[in-house]
Amino acid sequence: PKKDVWAKVRVFVDVAKWASAVESSYYTGHYSSPCLGATRACATASHGVVHETITLWQPEEALSYEAKVKGFRYARNKWTLKEDHQATILTLRPELQFKYGLLGWFIERFLVGPQLKKVLPQSLAELKYYVEKGYPVAKEQRQELDLKAVFY
């Protein structure tokens, strides 16, 4: 059910528990719980420490955040949850733009874009596993995950 997916997603700082692309995460700023304006820092191997701020908070419906990432003019992500018969569909809508004009376009198109096409489905599959099983997927099982992010 949607409420079960939201129960995991809403703990904004717990992303490192279930997403292998995030090595660690913690709250920064004035808030120590998820809400509009709350910020977290995520340590990643690919982008170093990324700082994210919640810009939309609609319980059990949607969550958006903006990330401060080196080399990006902007990086935003919107997550929406929708019930569909017996399943919950979680949709991610990333928006990003690199700095550096034509060079940035090239980096976004041929380097970062293909990387995101691998990382995002993997992260969603890891979240699905976490929601359904109640614990993160073991490292040796990550390659076996079904990369369709539909929650039953």
Side-chain angles (χ1 to χ4, degrees):
K2 190 163 77 165
K3 67 179 179 52
D4 293 342
V5 179
W6 181 256
K8 301 295 186 194
V9 171
R10 74 170 296 282
V11 187
F12 193 57
V13 76
D14 278 358
V15 66
K17 281 186 179 177
W18 53 265
S20 60
V22 180
E23 296 166 351
S24 65
S25 57
Y26 53 91
Y27 282 113
T28 60
H30 302 293
Y31 301 101
S32 61
S33 62
C35 62
L36 192 62
T39 58
R40 72 179 175 194
C42 298
T44 69
S46 59
H47 296 290
V49 177
V50 175
H51 295 273
E52 300 173 334
T53 303
I54 296 174
T55 56
L56 173 72
W57 186 259
Q58 296 174 325
E60 295 189 26
E61 299 295 328
L63 158 69
S64 293
Y65 55 89
E66 185 153 346
K68 303 284 188 229
V69 186
K70 285 182 186 176
F72 286 82
R73 180 165 287 123
Y74 61 82
R76 302 179 192 110
N77 207 352
K78 183 174 184 179
W79 299 47
T80 56
L81 294 168
K82 186 176 103 178
E83 294 272 22
D84 184 37
H85 304 287
Q86 296 292 325
T88 297
I89 298 173
L90 172 61
T91 304
L92 257 73
R93 182 173 296 261
E95 292 179 39
L96 52 95
Q97 186 179 52
F98 259 86
K99 297 178 182 177
Y100 317 121
L102 189 56
L103 175 62
W105 175 85
F106 181 84
I107 292 169
E108 180 181 327
R109 175 92 171 149
F110 296 104
L111 300 175
V112 174
Q115 180 186 8
L116 284 176
K117 286 181 182 180
K118 291 178 185 174
V119 170
L120 292 179
Q122 181 68 33
S123 293
L124 287 174
E126 291 169 356
L127 175 59
K128 179 179 186 244
Y129 186 96
Y130 184 53
V131 169
E132 291 175 351
K133 305 284 187 187
Y135 51 88
V137 64
K139 189 175 186 176
E140 59 274 2
Q141 293 178 300
R142 289 181 190 149
Q143 297 303 322
E144 300 168 18
L145 292 175
D146 179 6
L147 298 184
K148 295 176 185 158
V150 177
F151 298 84
Y152 296 98

